[in-house]
Amino acid sequence: MITSAFGLLDTSTLILLPHLRDPAVLPERPLISAITLAELSAGPLVATSEVERAARLAHLQQAEADFDPLPFDADAARAFGQVAASLRRSGRKASARAYDAMIAAIAIANELPLYTCNPDDFENIDGLMVIAVAHPDRPAMAG
């Protein structure tokens, strides 16, 4: 178990880090998963322009320099079953959001809260603590 000062960032939140309105909502010790690194690794390969490819490569290289990703290990594999069952019970398919489901499984296996700018992607997953981070491209919620 990792202490509460730690939290797992999903891929979109990691990409949006430089643009977040209130970085104070992030964990003191942010972590990423090997699944996020996999998503970032695919980005430059599927880019449709050189500018986009360069930006995606920069995200990948920054993540590799800043983080030692948590693996998708045996504990995460077992937690994935729980995530898939939760999604199925809520009428969603784990295969439709496979990367998100695997990231959620890593968070559960490591007893970490998941910080995301897209909390709806992680809705109704038993055992997952989701911490919503304000998306920089969406209007702020009225308090």
Side-chain angles (χ1 to χ4, degrees):
M1 180 177 124
I2 299 174
T3 67
S4 62
F6 291 86
L8 188 65
L9 307 181
D10 76 333
T11 307
S12 62
T13 305
L14 176 66
I15 290 169
L16 293 169
L17 274 179
H19 309 288
L20 294 180
R21 281 184 233 121
D22 184 10
V25 302
L26 296 173
E28 183 181 321
R29 302 280 310 269
L31 302 168
I32 66 167
S33 71
I35 306 309
T36 288
L37 197 57
E39 284 188 275
L40 293 175
S41 294
L45 302 174
V46 298
T48 57
S49 72
E50 286 305 315
V51 170
E52 182 183 9
R53 183 173 290 107
R56 289 178 176 202
L57 187 58
H59 282 297
L60 171 61
Q61 291 171 334
Q62 192 68 56
E64 290 175 328
D66 292 347
F67 295 95
D68 184 18
L70 296 174
F72 188 86
D73 58 10
D75 289 337
R78 284 187 287 279
F80 183 82
Q82 174 184 332
V83 171
S86 293
L87 291 172
R88 181 165 289 174
R89 281 192 297 274
S90 70
R92 298 163 60 201
K93 294 181 181 177
S95 59
R97 305 284 315 173
Y99 294 132
D100 289 342
M102 293 172 78
I103 291 169
I106 291 170
I108 292 168
N110 288 280
E111 299 179 19
L112 292 168
L114 180 68
Y115 289 75
T116 179
C117 292
N118 299 311
D120 292 349
D121 292 348
F122 299 95
E123 192 173 64
N124 299 319
I125 297 176
D126 296 337
L128 179 65
M129 182 186 347
V130 176
I131 298 177
V133 176
H135 195 293
D137 296 335
R138 297 181 190 138
M141 302 282 289

